[in-house]
Amino acid sequence: MQTNLRKTLDASYTRLKHMQPSPTAFAGNYALCLGMIMGGQTCKGMSVQEAESERAYLAMLAALYEIQLAMPRNLSKR
């Protein structure tokens, strides 16, 4: 994978993991990451296998976000 693409994806993933954005903000960041992955694969910045791995990681982050939304606030602060 190209170095700049890796750095950009890592920065975007960090935002998704560590921020408590609204569902709308999360969806925007998710779409940005997915667009980078799809564009990176299309432009040969990453291999098909790398793109598959990145999409799986992004899906995992989305699942974790949905779990956080479902948790009562008092449990998430423990």
Side-chain angles (χ1 to χ4, degrees):
M1 181 181 309
Q2 289 182 352
T3 305
N4 289 341
L5 181 57
R6 173 81 271 153
K7 287 179 184 178
T8 304
L9 277 172
D10 287 344
S12 297
Y13 290 155
T14 299
R15 277 184 21 190
L16 287 175
K17 285 190 288 189
H18 298 294
M19 296 181 81
Q20 295 291 331
S22 68
T24 304
F26 184 87
N29 288 328
Y30 180 91
L32 176 65
C33 288
L34 187 57
M36 285 188 288
I37 294 166
M38 300 306 291
Q41 180 185 354
T42 301
C43 296
K44 307 294 186 222
M46 67 174 71
S47 69
V48 172
Q49 292 82 14
E50 289 171 326
E52 288 172 356
S53 177
E54 296 300 325
R55 284 193 303 271
Y57 185 73
L58 187 57
M60 182 268 311
L61 291 177
L64 289 175
Y65 181 74
E66 289 182 20
I67 290 167
Q68 285 179 333
L69 287 179
M71 287 177 51
R73 288 287 175 201
N74 59 352
L75 288 179
S76 64
K77 293 183 180 181
R78 289 184 183 176

